[in-house]
Structures are given as C-alpha cells and as structure tokens.
C-alpha cells in the first residue's frame, strides 16, 4: 500500500486481475508499450492515481480495471481505435471533469465507444507531439531549450525546443528529437 510510483518494463505483456488492487498511495504508473491488455480490477481502489497513458498495443481494458480511482484527471490513449472496455472499466472516474486525450481525428470514435462514452472533455492530440520531421535545422540564429523551457545553448540527446531565426527575419519554433 506504500507504493507511490512504478515503471513496468517493456517485457510485460499483461497485467493480471487485481495486480495493483488497493495500492492507495500509487499516484503514477508507466505502462509499458508492450502491454496487450489490462485485466479486470487491475487498478481498482488506487485512490490516488492521477493520470494514465494507455499504449496503442492495449486491445482491452477489463471490467472495473480503474474502478474507485476517483482522482484520475487525465486518461490518454495512444491508439486511434479505443481499446475494448466495459461500462464498469472506469467506474468512479469523474467523466464530467476528467480529460480523455486521444489521437487527433479519433475523438468521435472514442466518444461513441462502449466504456469510453460519457467523457465531456475529449481532446485530440498529435500522437508524436512533433508535427513535422526536420531534415536541416540550421539557420542564421538558433536558440536551444529543454522541454521545460530552460535555455541549454546546444542540442542534446532527447527532445529539444529550437527557436530559429531565418535569413528573412522570421522566427520559427520547432521540436527536435535527437537520438
């Protein structure tokens, strides 16, 4: 009951029934991209869980999987087709205030899907967060920032924010992912 956060490795394919049942201190969990389904009552009564990201490989969310998780304010699904869910999968989540984030263009599909209907705040997002791939980012003047907005002075591994001043004086802000 004292577990506050957990990162599950990508080797995990399923969560068994009641895996995290009653982990009342759990506030965050990183669900692996390899996960295929979330079983019945997996997170039931995780009363302090605030947000969840359901990877695109997840095909179903079991009955009462998030029942009693009344503090969830954000649910993000990464698939354009919502995972199969029962009407009780999210019992206790306040669908009038919780935000359901789905890939842009799939808002209506999610709004009508069994187990997912009833959310008043459905938001579409760009799945990668990056609108275009940049092949040549060099320009007259550039400033580099971390995702939190701190000025870094150079590109670093991971996500970078680059403000470019082009030859014509226009300024463009880009997200750059360095591997």
């Amino acid at each position: 009951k004292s577990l506050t956060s957990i990162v599950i490795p990508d080797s995990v394919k399923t969560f068994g029934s009641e895996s995290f049942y009653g982990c009342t201190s759990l506030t965050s969990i990183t669900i692996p991209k390899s996960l295929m389904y979330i079983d019945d009552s997996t997170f039931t009564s995780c009363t302090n869980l605030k947000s969840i990201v359901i990877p695109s490989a997840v095909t179903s969310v079991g009955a009462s999987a998030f029942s009693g998780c009344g503090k969830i304010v954000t649910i993000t699904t990464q698939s354009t087709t919502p995972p199969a869910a029962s009407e009780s999968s999210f019992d206790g989540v306040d669908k009038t205030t919780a935000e359901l984030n789905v890939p842009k263009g799939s808002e209506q599909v999610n709004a009508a899907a069994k187990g997912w209907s009833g959310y008043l705040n459905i938001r579409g997002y760009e799945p990668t967060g990056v609108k275009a791939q940049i092949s040549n980012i060099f320009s007259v003047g550039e400033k580099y920032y971390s995702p939190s907005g701190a000025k870094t002075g150079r590109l670093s591994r991971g996500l970078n924010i680059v403000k470019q001043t082009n030859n014509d004086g226009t300024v463009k802000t880009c997200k750059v992912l360095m591997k």
Side-chain angles (χ1 to χ4, degrees):
K1 292 192 181 222
S2 62
L3 181 68
T4 58
S5 67
I6 188 166
V7 176
I8 308 293
D10 279 334
S11 58
V12 175
K13 304 279 187 243
T14 64
F15 288 151
S17 181
E18 301 182 7
S19 296
F20 300 94
Y21 187 97
C23 289
T24 56
S25 297
L26 188 65
T27 58
S28 69
I29 183 163
T30 301
I31 297 174
K33 291 180 173 125
S34 59
L35 194 74
M36 296 168 52
Y37 64 90
I38 300 170
D39 210 343
D40 298 347
S41 303
T42 299
F43 296 99
T44 295
S45 298
C46 290
T47 54
N48 283 300
L49 193 58
K50 306 249 188 291
S51 66
I52 53 169
V53 176
I54 300 174
S56 59
V58 173
T59 59
S60 68
V61 178
S64 302
F66 293 95
S67 180
C69 298
K71 290 189 179 173
I72 290 179
V73 293
T74 307
I75 299 170
T76 302
T77 63
Q78 295 181 328
S79 177
T80 55
T81 303
S86 85
E87 295 298 336
S88 68
S89 293
F90 297 95
D91 274 356
V93 175
D94 187 348
K95 293 181 177 185
T96 64
T97 58
E99 189 171 284
L100 178 59
N101 296 310
V102 300
K104 199 169 206 62
S106 66
E107 297 92 339
Q108 295 303 317
V109 172
N110 279 271
K114 179 181 176 188
W116 297 96
S117 62
Y119 286 92
L120 299 183
N121 302 305
I122 300 178
R123 307 273 186 258
Y125 69 91
E126 294 291 334
T128 62
V130 179
K131 293 186 190 232
Q133 187 172 9
I134 302 169
S135 57
N136 182 4
I137 62 166
F138 300 102
S139 59
V140 173
E142 295 176 335
K143 294 181 182 173
Y144 307 101
Y145 301 88
S146 70
S148 65
K151 195 169 184 178
T152 61
R154 64 181 179 81
L155 289 175
S156 58
R157 178 171 272 174
L159 184 62
N160 297 267
I161 307 300
V162 179
K163 241 184 183 177
Q164 298 175 308
T165 303
N166 296 316
N167 290 329
D168 62 2
T170 60
V171 177
K172 183 176 181 180
T173 302
C174 305
K175 295 177 186 175
V176 177
L177 182 62
M178 294 292 291
K179 292 185 177 185

